[in-house]
């Protein structure tokens, strides 16, 4: 079977790897360069802490099992490439800063524990030992040792390199322009570099997948949701986990168009501290907004007062692929046989990529699915929605 | 590119070779001239690296224009000063930074 994966971000790279390793003939078509858009503009989250019971948590737990296995396999073949992934099982710490927030966090964590997530309440001395520079002004804290982080561009590159080693082909600067159908089936795509035939086409275009699907004649409701991150100068060890305010979970689950911001603070291997995060629905408007950056900084300072005066050396922003019901779209498009979607992971694409790829391969190859595919199906109402215009997309 | 000292008459920063200055770097005296940046003083004194990257590789002036933040130093107690952006002053107490806790 020939498969064309449309998009070489983290999700497309994971799918290309999974399918190529399963023996399929895989071609990856990338409009620009690999891992250059959404993948390169996040924090590299591999999180279970922000997911309540439900299908996304199930997919996250599967992915959390798969990530270390995949990295072990890549380490055997390409140790340096695997090293650049910067896999860091640092764990997450979620804190509440109000009485109501504490009760909500404890309720949320109890629900997660029932689904197999490790969520350990931390008392004040435990929290101070785990994060000595964190404000003491918290009402509850929960430690999630399963949370991890990767360098996202390194991770996507490693997955893609492993796909190419398994025989996959990558075509960059190759934009998909339209569909070629035969008898109602998608049999080829027209691209800026010629027509590409395949038996299956996998839409992995992230925030641009709504527009790409519309070009192919089967629109899905995936929209961009903007986020920004501040980067400090390299510091001595100051932040040891991914530390965030419990209201982050509320911001992730919100569909509001206006600014949602919550404090998310963590270090990288280089010593910089990343300060997030914001969520805004502003289309593909990529202008930096100083007032947004200042809200992020103020919230981070509330959690880590010691960051006061630390220089911010840059800020970056990107677009998350957002579906109104906050679930990814994974599976075949029943309106256009031959078209498959793996998109809509919002801010969790890095964490969910391996599970997404495994589920896609299960469905493509007719294996028993590793997780229930029904909640992710492409023809659910939230995924069909009102499609964004194709202009400027894909 | 290897560092080299631009002749004073061609130096648009207004370097004044007739006005020497002296700073200390981790307690060691280093001499320069008025008008030089701290990076300029260090490079002219033959110092090419004063930090380490995550892999242990040496870091010093990379971009020279304030963008890369690779040349960070602590100057008179103020940490994370970009050496390429700070004019050296006579008597500056400069310490190198490491990522070890407590520096």
């Amino acid at each position: 079977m020939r498969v064309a994966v449309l998009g070489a971000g983290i999700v497309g790279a994971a799918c290309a790897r999974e399918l190529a390793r399963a023996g399929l003939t895989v071609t990856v078509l990338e409009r620009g360069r690999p891992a250059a858009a959404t993948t390169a503009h996040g924090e590299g989250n591999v999180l279970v802490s922000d997911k309540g019971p439900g299908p996304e948590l199930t997919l996250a737990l599967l992915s959390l099992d798969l990530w270390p296995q995949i990295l072990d396999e890549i380490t055997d073949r390409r140790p340096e490439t695997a090293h650049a992934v910067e896999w860091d099982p640092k764990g997450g710490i979620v804190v509440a800063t109000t009485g109501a927030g504490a009760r909500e966090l404890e309720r949320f964590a109890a629900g997660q524990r029932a689904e197999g997530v490790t969520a350990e309440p931390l008392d004040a001395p435990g929290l101070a030992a785990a994060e000595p520079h964190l404000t003491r002004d918290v009402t509850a804290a929960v430690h999630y040792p399963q949370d991890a982080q990767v360098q996202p561009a390194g991770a996507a590159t490693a997955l893609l390199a492993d796909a190419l080693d398994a025989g996959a082909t990558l075509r960059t600067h190759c934009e998909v322009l339209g569909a070629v159908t035969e008898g109602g089936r998608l049999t080829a795509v027209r691209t800026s570099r010629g027509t590409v035939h395949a038996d299956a086409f996998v839409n992995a275009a992230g925030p641009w997948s709504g527009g790409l699907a519309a070009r192919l004649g089967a629109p899905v409701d995936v929209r961009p949701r903007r986020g920004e991150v501040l980067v400090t100068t390299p510091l001595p060890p100051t932040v040891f986990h991914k530390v965030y305010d419990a209201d982050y979970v509320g911001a992730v689950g919100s569909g509001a168009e206006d600014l949602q911001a919550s404090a998310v603070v963590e270090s990288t291997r280089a010593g910089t501290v990343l300060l997030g995060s914001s969520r805004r629905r502003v289309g593909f408007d990529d202008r930096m907004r100083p007032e947004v950056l200042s809200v992020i900084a103020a919230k981070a300072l509330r959690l880590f007062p010691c960051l006061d005066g630390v220089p911010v050396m840059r800020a970056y922003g990107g677009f998350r692929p957002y579906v109104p019901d906050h679930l990814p779209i994974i599976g075949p498009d029943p309106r256009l046989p031959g078209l498959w979607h793996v998109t809509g992971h919002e801010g969790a694409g890095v964490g969910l990529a391996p599970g997404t790829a495994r589920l896609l391969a299960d469905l493509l190859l007719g294996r028993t699915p590793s997780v229930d595919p029904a909640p992710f199906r492409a023809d659910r109402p939230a995924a069909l929605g009102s499609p964004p215009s194709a202009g400027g997309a894909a | 590119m290897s560092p080299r000292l631009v002749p004073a008459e061609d130096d648009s920063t207004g370097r004044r070779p007739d006005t020497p200055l002296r700073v200390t770097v981790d307690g060691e005296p280093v001499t320069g001239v008025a008008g030089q940046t701290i990076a300029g003083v260090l490079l002219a004194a033959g110092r090419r690296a004063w930090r380490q990257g995550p892999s242990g590789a040496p870091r010093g002036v990379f971009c020279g224009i304030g963008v890369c933040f690779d040349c960070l130093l602590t100057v008179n107690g103020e940490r994370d000063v970009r050496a390429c952006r700070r004019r050296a002053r006579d008597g500056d107490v400069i310490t190198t930074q490491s990522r070890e806790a407590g520096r």
Side-chain angles (χ1 to χ4, degrees):
Chain A
M1 190 193 302
R2 298 163 306 163
V3 181
V5 176
L6 314 180
I10 190 81
V11 172
C15 291
R17 176 190 176 278
E18 186 80 21
L19 300 175
R21 292 270 158 210
L24 305 189
T25 304
V26 175
T27 305
V28 182
L29 309 181
E30 163 56 46
R31 176 182 63 166
R33 291 173 294 119
T38 299
T39 298
H41 294 92
E43 294 163 303
N45 287 329
V46 181
L47 302 185
V48 293
S49 56
D50 64 339
K51 293 168 184 64
E56 194 190 10
L57 179 58
T58 307
L59 190 63
L61 288 168
L62 170 63
S63 297
L64 194 62
D65 284 342
L66 293 174
W67 258 122
Q69 295 174 27
I70 291 171
L71 292 177
D72 282 349
E73 289 175 31
I74 298 178
T75 301
D76 288 343
R77 290 187 277 266
R78 292 173 159 265
E80 299 217 338
T81 306
H83 184 71
V85 175
E86 299 189 10
W87 172 261
D88 186 358
K90 62 168 73 171
I93 292 180
V94 183
V95 299
T97 50
T98 62
R103 285 187 292 280
E104 175 58 22
L105 174 58
E106 281 153 10
R107 188 196 61 77
F108 190 74
Q112 293 172 309
R113 274 192 292 274
E115 298 296 318
V117 174
T118 308
E120 304 157 340
L122 283 175
D123 58 10
L127 181 60
E131 287 293 343
H133 302 287
L134 179 68
T135 175
R136 301 297 153 88
D137 197 13
V138 302
T139 52
V142 178
H143 178 218
Y144 293 87
Q146 292 160 304
D147 281 356
Q149 184 190 24
V150 296
Q151 206 288 6
T157 304
L159 295 171
L160 203 53
D162 205 42
L164 300 184
D165 286 349
T169 308
L170 170 65
R171 289 199 204 172
T172 56
H173 302 288
C174 178
E175 182 170 7
V176 173
L177 303 174
V180 178
T181 58
E182 283 171 35
R185 182 177 181 85
L186 183 63
T187 55
V189 288
R190 289 183 293 106
T191 80
S192 55
R193 295 180 59 191
T195 300
V196 176
H197 294 265
D199 304 301
F201 296 83
V202 177
N203 176 11
W208 296 272
S209 57
L212 172 57
R215 280 188 187 187
L216 298 177
V220 286
D221 191 9
V222 180
R223 308 175 194 189
R225 204 177 183 195
R226 176 92 176 148
E228 285 93 358
V229 175
L230 308 183
V231 187
T232 73
T233 52
L235 301 183
T238 307
V239 183
F240 300 89
H241 302 79
K242 182 183 187 82
V243 181
Y244 63 92
D245 194 320
D247 64 12
Y248 176 69
V249 176
V252 171
S254 161
E257 296 205 9
D258 56 337
L259 171 65
Q260 303 278 310
S262 54
V264 180
V265 182
E266 67 191 301
S267 304
T268 68
R269 188 182 284 181
T272 58
V273 177
L274 306 182
L275 313 179
S277 72
S278 58
R279 294 181 126 74
R280 293 186 294 137
R281 281 175 47 192
V282 291
F284 286 105
D285 180 352
D286 64 357
R287 285 174 293 183
M288 278 290 174
R289 294 267 298 276
E291 66 274 24
V292 173
L293 303 184
S294 124
V295 168
I296 293 170
K299 286 184 179 262
L301 279 176
R302 253 184 37 208
L303 284 191
F304 285 92
C306 66
L307 294 177
D308 191 13
V310 169
V312 167
M313 64 176 184
R314 63 176 173 270
Y316 61 87
F319 298 102
R320 307 174 180 88
Y322 159 80
V323 180
D325 65 0
H326 302 288
L327 283 177
I329 304 172
I330 305 167
D333 194 317
R335 298 164 299 174
L336 182 58
L339 178 63
W340 298 65
H341 300 285
V342 284
T343 182
H345 296 77
E346 198 159 343
V350 173
L352 298 177
T356 298
R358 177 61 55 86
L359 179 57
L360 172 73
D362 292 340
L363 296 171
L364 257 174
L365 297 170
R367 305 185 303 218
T368 305
S370 304
V371 298
D372 178 10
F376 307 115
R377 67 186 194 280
D379 60 342
R380 67 185 196 264
L384 295 178
S386 58
S389 72
Chain B
M1 188 187 78
S2 39
R4 66 195 168 83
L5 192 60
V6 176
E9 58 272 23
D10 299 334
D11 190 341
S12 58
T13 66
R15 197 171 91 240
R16 300 194 304 281
D18 53 328
T19 314
L21 60 78
R22 196 168 115 126
V23 301
T24 62
V25 179
D26 293 333
E28 244 178 75
V30 178
T31 53
V33 297
Q36 282 179 309
T37 60
I38 288 174
V41 171
L42 294 184
L43 291 175
R47 292 187 180 236
R48 308 272 283 270
W50 45 86
R51 280 182 61 240
Q52 287 191 339
S55 65
R59 292 284 186 276
V61 176
F62 179 69
C63 75
I65 56 173
V67 175
C68 74
F69 284 72
D70 256 349
C71 63
L72 299 178
L73 288 162
T74 298
V75 180
N76 303 326
E78 182 189 348
R79 64 168 290 131
D80 298 329
V81 172
R82 285 167 283 177
C84 67
R85 301 286 300 149
R86 177 66 63 94
R87 188 92 66 170
R89 289 179 188 284
D90 192 43
D92 277 344
V93 177
I94 298 165
T95 50
T96 55
Q97 297 182 178
S98 87
R99 292 190 48 226
E100 300 306 310
R103 271 167 272 163

